[in-house]
Amino acid sequence: MPPPLLSRSLDPILGVFTGVLAYYLYETHPRTAMPEELRLKSLLRWKYAQWQKEREQKLLGTGEEHIDWQAIASSVEVEGTGKDSQK
């Protein structure tokens, strides 16, 4: 194992920082400039909006708003009285 460059805990931080800086320069350099819709920031926004939309549809699709709590309570009462009469 090679010796650490700075320290065991600082080397990974330096590596991550260098990678993030390199990717930022890659995206913003005039020679390799990507269209705005292909940059990581806009792709992450699109993916987050898509995830929010799917989550909203999933939450609304469960039908929690349409639960008839009175029917559930009355069925529980009926089951409770049925068990009492069997004893």
Side-chain angles (χ1 to χ4, degrees):
M1 186 166 163
L5 182 63
L6 297 173
S7 71
R8 288 180 62 183
S9 58
L10 194 56
D11 278 354
I13 295 170
L14 178 65
V16 169
F17 174 75
T18 304
V20 169
L21 179 65
Y23 191 77
Y24 172 75
L25 292 175
Y26 167 73
E27 277 196 342
T28 58
H29 192 274
R31 205 188 271 181
T32 59
M34 292 186 222
E36 185 63 36
E37 64 271 359
L38 293 180
R39 291 191 178 174
L40 182 62
K41 190 176 180 181
S42 62
L43 291 175
L44 288 175
R45 282 186 189 149
W46 172 77
K47 189 66 174 176
Y48 182 67
Q50 186 181 23
W51 175 77
Q52 279 184 326
K53 187 173 123 182
E54 289 175 2
R55 182 174 180 262
E56 183 179 334
Q57 288 175 351
K58 183 179 175 184
L59 289 175
L60 292 178
T62 59
E64 290 185 20
E65 296 177 9
H66 304 295
I67 294 176
D68 187 10
W69 292 107
Q70 293 175 347
I72 293 172
S74 63
S75 68
V76 169
E77 290 174 3
V78 169
E79 289 176 7
T81 57
K83 289 181 182 178
D84 290 340
S85 63
Q86 291 176 356
K87 286 183 181 178

